[in-house]
Amino acid sequence: MAENKANCEYETYLSECSKKDESPLVINLVQTLSKSLVYPDATNVDTNRKLWDQYAKQWSPESEWVQKMASKLPQKGDSSSATDGAAAAAAGSSSCSSGSGNGNGSIVGEGGLNFVGEEWSDGKSLEAVVRDWITPYVSKTHTVAEIGCGGGRVASRVIPMVGSLQCFDISQEMIKKAKGVLTPLADQHHTSLSFTLLPSAQLPSECENKFDFMYSFDVFPHIDLHTQWKYFQEIRRCLKPDTGRCFISVADLTAPGGWNRFAKQKNYSVGGFYFVCPEIVHTLARQAGLIVEKTSRDQDSGETRTHTTHT
């Protein structure tokens, strides 16, 4: 599929970004010393921060590599793309329900690229995810948070629907990109908008019991299991008791598309996917104090959706 080709090029470019500005002498020294070290690698958060800072710095809608990735995505009239799968956690006492569909969002190629990340998946698929997994659970009275806002491609669709949106990210450069495109949109829709740079997988202490809804799309596939667990705990801490909900996307090893992608990887990197399975997601949710409400899987993309509630 065209989208799979785009994903491969996307992962290749991310791998190249992660090596930017590194001295060959330093790399050789680290490789030599690593033989005598138990844990020579940087933390998952630090590695992701470096990667996404580099990506955002180099990103431009006119860049040849961005256009090349975008050109591999389904264009107008192409219905072959599969909706991105996801996993969600929620904190509410009643069961969530939502349908599936194709969505009516813009498709890359119709109006160009406006946000970092639009070269990763077609707009139609993203619109379907937002419509089915975010829209039914937010309103203009809600205080909402996004973990990993990136360049703002999801936030741009959420801002018109909520009263307040707090965007968290570990990349200062991504936040700069997001601010530039989201601030005018927030003013237009009278939505309170703020940005917070995270030094680690921990949200500010003042966010406890603050949010009606939290979401994180296309972020967890790039972070390791221990970091995912930290975020699950933070989500539970920061959601409003009994009524708060959260949506999280993960890469599913047990889906055919997920396994095919995993089998092509030589090893995990932040530029690729860290694969889990529904059982792991359910365990993390349960141990964090959440109950799974609903799970849905996209067989082609290798991703999964889940909703949970407070215990």
Side-chain angles (χ1 to χ4, degrees):
M1 294 174 60
E3 190 168 354
N4 290 334
K5 292 180 180 179
N7 284 331
C8 291
E9 294 202 7
Y10 154 61
E11 292 182 12
T12 299
Y13 183 78
L14 292 183
S15 178
E16 293 173 355
C17 276
S18 67
K19 299 175 182 177
K20 286 285 185 180
D21 299 331
E22 288 186 344
S23 166
L25 292 176
V26 174
I27 294 175
N28 290 335
L29 177 60
V30 170
Q31 290 175 341
T32 300
L33 292 175
S34 67
K35 297 177 181 178
S36 60
L37 298 176
V38 179
Y39 297 108
D41 297 331
T43 68
N44 183 262
V45 172
D46 290 338
T47 305
N48 266 291
R49 179 179 292 112
K50 177 180 179 181
L51 169 66
W52 298 115
D53 275 345
Q54 286 290 344
Y55 194 98
K57 284 180 181 179
Q58 296 177 35
W59 190 92
S60 167
E62 293 81 24
S63 296
E64 182 179 354
W65 62 271
V66 173
Q67 288 294 324
K68 187 176 181 181
M69 279 196 282
S71 69
K72 302 297 176 62
L73 295 174
Q75 301 300 309
K76 185 176 182 180
D78 184 348
S79 60
S80 63
S81 64
T83 300
D84 286 319
S93 57
S94 62
S95 176
C96 300
S97 63
S98 65
S100 60
N102 293 323
N104 297 304
S106 61
I107 301 175
V108 170
E110 290 186 66
L113 300 171
N114 299 307
F115 303 93
V116 177
E118 285 187 318
E119 66 276 13
W120 301 337
S121 63
D122 66 282
K124 189 175 182 180
S125 295
L126 181 58
E127 287 289 347
V129 171
V130 172
R131 188 196 64 232
D132 293 341
W133 295 86
I134 297 179
T135 302
Y137 313 110
V138 299
S139 73
K140 266 297 184 180
T141 65
H142 282 170
T143 299
V144 177
E146 178 174 13
I147 298 177
C149 66
R153 65 184 179 125
V154 181
S156 67
R157 292 162 166 83
V158 174
I159 283 174
M161 301 187 289
V162 304
S164 175
L165 178 63
Q166 187 163 355
C167 297
F168 298 103
D169 207 287
I170 61 171
S171 168
Q172 181 67 63
E173 296 299 324
M174 280 292 189
I175 287 179
K176 287 180 182 179
K177 292 286 189 183
K179 275 185 178 180
V181 292
L182 295 180
T183 300
L185 185 63
D187 292 341
Q188 177 185 346
H189 291 278
H190 306 290
T191 298
S192 174
L193 178 67
S194 61
F195 297 87
T196 302
L197 179 65
L198 298 178
S200 64
Q202 183 175 3
L203 306 187
S205 58
E206 60 267 25
C207 291
E208 186 165 346
N209 299 332
K210 178 179 180 179
F211 301 110
D212 297 285
F213 189 83
M214 299 175 71
Y215 67 92
S216 185
F217 182 69
D218 265 3
V219 175
F220 276 49
H222 299 290
I223 60 180
D224 62 31
L225 190 59
H226 286 83
T227 306
Q228 291 186 35
W229 166 233
K230 291 176 183 177
Y231 278 123
F232 263 96
Q233 295 175 86
E234 287 299 286
I235 287 167
R236 173 61 175 80
R237 180 178 69 84
C238 296
L239 283 173
K240 288 183 178 179
D242 301 325
T243 59
R245 285 181 169 79
C246 181
F247 165 76
I248 305 169
S249 68
V250 298
D252 185 359
L253 180 66
T254 62
W259 177 258
N260 291 338
R261 196 165 181 171
F262 169 78
K264 294 177 182 178
Q265 291 181 338
K266 293 182 179 179
N267 55 268
Y268 162 72
S269 70
V270 294
F273 276 7
Y274 189 98
F275 289 92
V276 292
C277 64
E279 290 76 15
I280 290 177
V281 175
H282 293 187
T283 298
L284 293 176
R286 183 176 65 253
Q287 293 297 334
L290 302 164
I291 299 175
V292 174
E293 287 185 333
K294 181 180 65 171
T295 298
S296 177
R297 172 184 296 169
D298 187 292
Q299 298 292 335
D300 293 325
S301 68
E303 295 184 325
T304 295
R305 302 184 183 100
T306 308
H307 265 291
T308 65
T309 64
H310 266 287
T311 55

